[in-house]
Amino acid sequence: MNAINSGASKKRLPLKEKYRHLTRGLHWDTTYQPMNKVFPHAAYEGIKIHDWDKWEDPFRLTMDAYWKFQAEKERKLYAVLDTFAQNNGQTNFTDARYVNTMKLFLTGVSPLEYMAHRGFGHAGRQMAGVGPRVACQMQSLDELRHVQTQIHTMSHLNKYFSGFHEFPHLHSRMWYLSVPKSFFDDAVTAGPFEFMTAIGFSFEYVLTNLLFVPFMSGAAYNGDMATMTFGFSAQSDEARHMTLGLEVIKFMLEQDEQNVPIVQKWIDKWFWRGHRMLGLVAMMMDYMLPKRIMSWKEAWSMYFTEAGGALFADLARYGIRLPKYAEVATAEADHISHQNWAIFYQYTHAAGFHTWLPSDEEMDWLSAKYPDTFDKYYRPRFDLWREMEKEGKRFYNMGLPQLCSTCQIPMGYTEPGDPTSIAFRSSKYNGDTYHFCSDGCKDIFDNEPEKFSQAWLPVHQIFQGNCGGATMEDVLKWYKLDGDNMDYAQSLDKKMWDEWQAGKNRVSG
Amino acid sequence: MSIVSITLQNNDDARPIIAAILADNPKAELSNFPAMVKINAEGELIVNRETVEDKLGRPWDVQEIHLSLISLSGNIDEDDDRLRLFWRA
Amino acid sequence: MSTKSIGEYNFPAPDRVENFHGNQVVYLHWSKHLSFCAATAYPLPPDMPFGAVISNVIPGTYGPHPDFPRIDWSAVEWRIDGKPAKPDPEKSLKDNGIHHKSLVEFRTPGLDGYRGSAS
């Protein structure tokens, strides 16, 4: 820390002025070519910017300070990673079931960090104002750091556990990973302002707390020091990203009244898309962490209802309201983790991680956290599967699921107000039918059918013969699964874990 | 008034910052979670450089908070002497 | 509103029927049996008789459920693309109005899932 403060006593420019020099001073209007040709994506989305200089920089981090702080974060992180590996920290996890959350993270989330690196590089390049350009550049660098530190951290787990060895291969092939992949592909193929609204605002500001904070706090609670450290190291950048996301929104809204309906439509779209994707985190929190911090429903209430409510009250001055279907998402908080876990439980023969039935104790925790829904709708489902397991017929669904054409998740969500009926929605476009899991996903398709009708739906791709062959075996081979699938009870992970535990007991006598 | 919040790591770098926030913001409420603390306050929260320096016993750059920050909720205003979080509604 | 783009934006859908090698996609769903988490999808020839769906397709997926052996197929209520229907088992999928990406739901009166829980 002394290195950071070595210049503190020298007389220096006040922060605001220093930042102004770094940003505004680097900009000029081009003369050989008109500005609209140098920044060809700046206007086509319909967003009107009259004065880029009105951009307010929330955190005024200059490039020299940026490198200094990032270097300090890396030093701390790598010291912990090294210690963790040297000390065989993985043997101190609560339980090897925990590792499955990290498999989902490495295959589903880390590749998105890389896409965010590319996306912010691209969006920054297209911003005709220098303030957001510099902020996007820093975020682009941050995102690259995130994916690198995550891969580095989990390379250690790959020495011991299944499910880590083919993460980039899986990301663009595995059926459930088309959910996060298509989410981000949608964002990076939008214009720069929609991208910033999608990732910078809706994801980073409104929803990222629900992804990272429970994940990292959960890691800390389950003995995973390495993940906790890379997570908080990344999250220290996220706080800066959140403020960038909020600033972009305020800037667009303040620049022109005609921007308001465009921005509102993007907020509606990306809130719903983010909500659907975070359903994976919901099941992680409620089912996959051996020691739980809080329920998904509690996290939703803290981070969306409370924090999001305050945010949208602040934005009401511009005529912005809560995202459409926010109340549906809040009602779904009672169901979504159970429904998602049920999906993965029955398709775990084709997944890159293991699933299991909750124990009696875990079911009691779920009953307590979800008193209105768990015992009535979901406990009987687990009871049935437990009976089947006892008869030696562990339930694997042998039919491939119908997927939503927008979010690409198996259509397992139920009608608002009726948890005993699947919600079916559909639209016609160019003579074909498209199916959706919800009104939110249908609206998104109906607004951009040219885009979403191009969806690469894994189940249909299997039928078309594009995924290795016609049988389940062919497809699993194409995924390169190798002992990574099936129930935890019969997994290599469990076998190894039990041996480690037996070893510990022998040593301690 | 809406709630603003700041979430910090629960470690040695962050403890003086946490103490300074609690000293300077009488309405602040602290919650503990595994490895982190979340501080809520109605409408506004301020982190003052001087108070942190006092707790820490050395000069402190407000931007050092980036090393300990996990999350926040609110608009930001940052200068050499303090970081302010606030809602306008 | 449609997709905003920097140029012409017109791409074929990967799911159009000609990409399925003579088959069409058909979705099946057993109402009130949500232990099957979602409707299930099958590539089926449009000329396949509907009766073959009942005898050859449905049992492979839905057979493991304890309610399955108790189904009275003559009492089953069918819906095709959301509308009540009485499909003729002798006729083809096509002639029963089952098209590419049609949803066929079946409800089994008296059988509402494990212990009536819709599971």
Side-chain angles (χ1 to χ4, degrees):
Chain A
M1 202 50 54
N2 286 336
I4 283 171
N5 278 294
S6 57
S9 57
K10 281 185 226 155
K11 193 170 162 43
R12 49 182 197 178
L13 283 174
L15 187 61
K16 284 181 180 172
E17 210 180 311
K18 189 175 160 193
Y19 192 81
R20 203 170 172 80
H21 281 297
L22 175 92
T23 54
R24 305 306 191 268
L26 284 176
H27 182 77
W28 70 95
D29 279 352
T30 56
T31 50
Y32 299 165
Q33 290 288 333
M35 285 289 277
N36 64 356
K37 280 201 171 168
V38 179
F39 297 98
H41 295 187
Y44 84 89
E45 298 169 276
I47 293 293
K48 294 189 171 64
I49 304 296
H50 304 288
D51 183 2
W52 283 98
D53 223 27
K54 289 271 162 41
W55 172 270
E56 283 286 336
D57 304 291
F59 277 120
R60 299 181 180 89
L61 207 55
T62 54
M63 216 62 211
D64 58 334
Y66 174 80
W67 291 122
K68 196 168 62 180
F69 288 121
Q70 296 307 88
E72 179 70 14
K73 288 179 190 175
E74 295 280 273
R75 263 196 299 276
K76 290 178 155 202
L77 170 62
Y78 280 95
V80 172
L81 294 190
D82 201 34
T83 308
F84 181 86
Q86 193 177 12
N87 192 39
N88 283 315
Q90 73 283 355
T91 62
N92 295 324
F93 291 162
T94 40
D95 185 325
R97 290 183 303 166
Y98 162 77
V99 179
N100 292 288
T101 63
M102 299 317 300
K103 298 174 190 176
L104 204 48
F105 195 96
L106 183 67
T107 56
V109 179
S110 300
L112 301 191
E113 303 269 21
Y114 183 66
M115 288 306 289
H117 158 66
R118 296 177 62 189
F120 277 96
H122 176 68
R125 165 64 184 84
Q126 294 297 341
M127 289 283 164
V130 67
R133 209 148 66 219
V134 171
C136 282
Q137 182 193 16
M138 281 184 197
Q139 180 157 354
S140 179
L141 290 167
D142 291 338
E143 305 290 2
L144 189 59
R145 179 175 94 87
H146 297 177
V147 64
Q148 287 173 341
T149 52
Q150 287 161 19
I151 293 168
H152 199 122
T153 305
M154 282 181 268
S155 67
H156 179 71
L157 299 181
N158 184 45
K159 294 175 190 166
Y160 303 97
F161 298 97
S162 65
F164 290 99
H165 54 104
E166 294 291 348
F167 73 93
H169 178 86
L170 285 180
H171 186 69
S172 52
R173 288 168 182 79
M174 178 56 88
W175 58 275
Y176 54 88
L177 297 177
S178 78
V179 175
K181 179 175 161 55
S182 62
F183 173 94
F184 226 95
D185 285 353
D186 184 9
V188 293
T189 51
F193 287 106
E194 184 181 345
F195 175 79
M196 296 292 284
T197 307
I199 306 304
F201 179 73
S202 299
F203 199 70
E204 300 271 7
Y205 201 101
V206 184
L207 297 169
T208 197
N209 277 321
L210 284 159
L211 170 61
F212 262 91
V213 179
F215 223 113
M216 300 320 153
S217 202
Y221 210 33
N222 284 278
D224 187 355
M225 185 170 65
T227 294
M228 177 201 79
T229 310
F230 90 63
F232 284 155
S233 188
Q235 195 63 30
S236 66
D237 300 339
E238 300 298 343
R240 186 155 32 77
H241 302 171
M242 290 168 70
T243 61
L244 172 60
L246 180 56
E247 180 50 37
V248 171
I249 291 289
K250 289 194 290 190
F251 181 61
M252 286 191 282
L253 297 173
E254 280 166 10
Q255 282 290 309
D256 198 303
E257 217 175 319
Q258 288 176 40
N259 293 342
V260 176
I262 303 176
V263 172
Q264 181 72 56
K265 199 131 197 164
W266 286 339
I267 291 174
D268 292 348
K269 170 185 174 182
W270 287 98
F271 165 76
W272 189 259
R273 297 221 63 185
H275 162 62
R276 272 288 173 258
M277 193 166 79
L278 288 180
L280 293 174
V281 181
M283 78 172 189
M284 186 276 290
M285 287 180 69
D286 286 344
Y287 286 88
M288 298 176 78
L289 289 178
K291 270 173 81 179
R292 291 132 205 235
I293 342 148
M294 60 172 89
S295 69
W296 171 254
K297 195 182 170 183
E298 288 164 332
W300 184 262
S301 157
M302 181 189 303
Y303 289 113
F304 182 72
T305 310
E306 189 183 292
L311 167 67
F312 283 98
D314 190 82
L315 294 176
R317 63 178 57 215
Y318 304 110
I320 290 290
R321 48 156 175 77
L322 271 170
K324 197 175 177 190
Y325 303 124
E327 73 293 349
V328 179
T330 296
E332 282 188 356
D334 252 325
H335 301 277
I336 202 159
S337 65
H338 319 301
Q339 293 175 349
N340 279 341
W341 188 241
I343 292 172
F344 282 97
Y345 176 80
Q346 63 198 265
Y347 287 115
T348 204
H349 49 305
F353 64 94
H354 305 296
T355 58
W356 52 88
L357 286 178
S359 66
D360 287 338
E361 199 191 348
E362 287 165 340
M363 292 229 261
D364 290 344
W365 182 87
L366 290 163
S367 298
K369 295 293 183 185
Y370 295 94
D372 299 333
T373 54
F374 184 76
D375 284 346
K376 194 167 176 198
Y377 302 109
Y378 303 106
R379 189 188 280 267
R381 212 159 289 178
F382 295 128
D383 285 343
L384 165 62
W385 291 339
R386 193 183 281 188
E387 278 179 25
M388 292 171 80
E389 261 187 36
K390 276 196 190 130
E391 291 168 22
K393 298 174 188 159
R394 199 277 192 198
F395 176 55
Y396 293 109
N397 191 331
M398 286 300 137
L400 301 185
Q402 180 184 30
L403 304 178
C404 172
S405 287
T406 299
C407 69
Q408 308 201 4
I409 299 172
M411 286 187 33
Y413 303 123
T414 46
E415 278 294 346
D418 178 12
T420 70
S421 300
I422 296 286
F424 289 106
R425 301 288 183 274
S426 66
S427 293
K428 286 269 184 197
Y429 176 67
N430 271 352
D432 263 328
T433 309
Y434 293 86
H435 296 271
F436 314 103
C437 66
S438 55
D439 293 318
C441 280
K442 177 178 158 59
D443 281 8
I444 292 168
F445 181 96
D446 289 346
N447 284 330
E448 297 172 89
E450 308 87 343
K451 191 170 196 181
F452 287 94
S453 61
Q454 297 173 60
W456 191 93
L457 294 181
V459 169
H460 294 172
Q461 291 298 314
I462 290 171
F463 293 158
Q464 290 180 24
N466 298 331
C467 303
T471 67
M472 181 67 83
E473 227 172 301
D474 294 334
V475 175
L476 298 187
K477 213 167 154 189
W478 184 71
Y479 287 161
K480 299 192 184 176
L481 291 190
D482 180 19
D484 307 299
N485 56 345
M486 309 304 273
D487 196 280
Y488 176 71
Q490 62 195 89
S491 67
L492 295 169
D493 285 2
K494 182 176 189 297
K495 191 165 168 280
M496 180 186 61
W497 183 258
D498 289 346
E499 283 166 12
W500 286 354
Q501 297 311 304
K504 276 189 192 175
N505 292 338
R506 274 198 302 276
V507 169
S508 60
Chain B
M1 257 306 191
S2 300
I3 302 287
V4 297
S5 79
I6 188 164
T7 305
L8 294 161
Q9 295 205 49
N10 189 1
N11 64 14
D12 211 40
D13 282 342
R15 270 187 281 275
I17 309 173
I18 297 163
I21 294 172
L22 295 177
D24 289 344
N25 299 272
K27 282 195 255 172
E29 284 175 25
L30 179 138
S31 314
N32 278 291
F33 294 92
M36 64 186 210
V37 299
K38 182 169 188 269
I39 302 172
N40 287 354
E42 238 180 61
E44 185 183 65
L45 256 181
I46 292 179
V47 186
N48 284 312
R49 179 179 54 80
E50 272 188 9
T51 319
V52 178
E53 289 184 342
D54 185 48
K55 306 277 175 199
L56 195 59
R58 66 159 171 84
W60 185 75
D61 183 334
V62 175
Q63 293 193 327
E64 281 184 56
I65 201 167
H66 284 293
L67 296 170
S68 309
L69 197 53
I70 291 172
S71 186
L72 44 82
S73 173
N75 295 290
I76 292 282
D77 186 38
E78 179 200 37
D79 65 26
D80 298 85
D81 295 319
R82 55 131 184 74
L83 177 71
R84 179 170 165 255
L85 276 162
F86 62 100
W87 289 121
R88 299 168 295 178
Chain C
M1 188 167 139
S2 58
T3 306
K4 300 253 178 70
S5 64
I6 47 174
E8 198 191 320
Y9 193 89
N10 185 13
F11 301 94
D15 288 346
R16 60 199 189 283
V17 70
E18 57 264 37
N19 288 348
F20 289 86
H21 312 290
N23 292 319
Q24 62 179 28
V25 175
V26 176
Y27 304 110
L28 299 174
H29 175 60
W30 185 6
S31 301
K32 307 294 170 197
H33 289 77
L34 303 193
S35 47
F36 302 95
C37 63
T40 47
Y42 307 86
L44 303 176
D47 294 331
M48 178 179 177
F50 184 78
V53 171
I54 301 176
S55 57
N56 300 346
V57 180
I58 288 178
T61 298
Y62 297 98
H65 197 285
D67 276 354
F68 190 80
R70 296 192 273 153
I71 297 176
D72 171 4
W73 287 99
S74 64
V76 166
E77 296 163 9
W78 298 93
R79 292 170 81 86
I80 297 172
D81 291 326
K83 291 190 192 77
K86 288 195 186 331
D88 181 340
E90 306 298 324
K91 284 192 183 162
S92 69
L93 298 180
K94 196 171 55 186
D95 291 342
N96 274 304
I98 298 167
H99 306 293
H100 181 47
K101 296 204 268 178
S102 275
L103 169 67
V104 179
E105 295 169 84
F106 58 104
R107 193 183 175 113
T108 48
L111 299 176
D112 284 326
Y114 178 74
R115 294 184 188 158
S117 69
S119 278

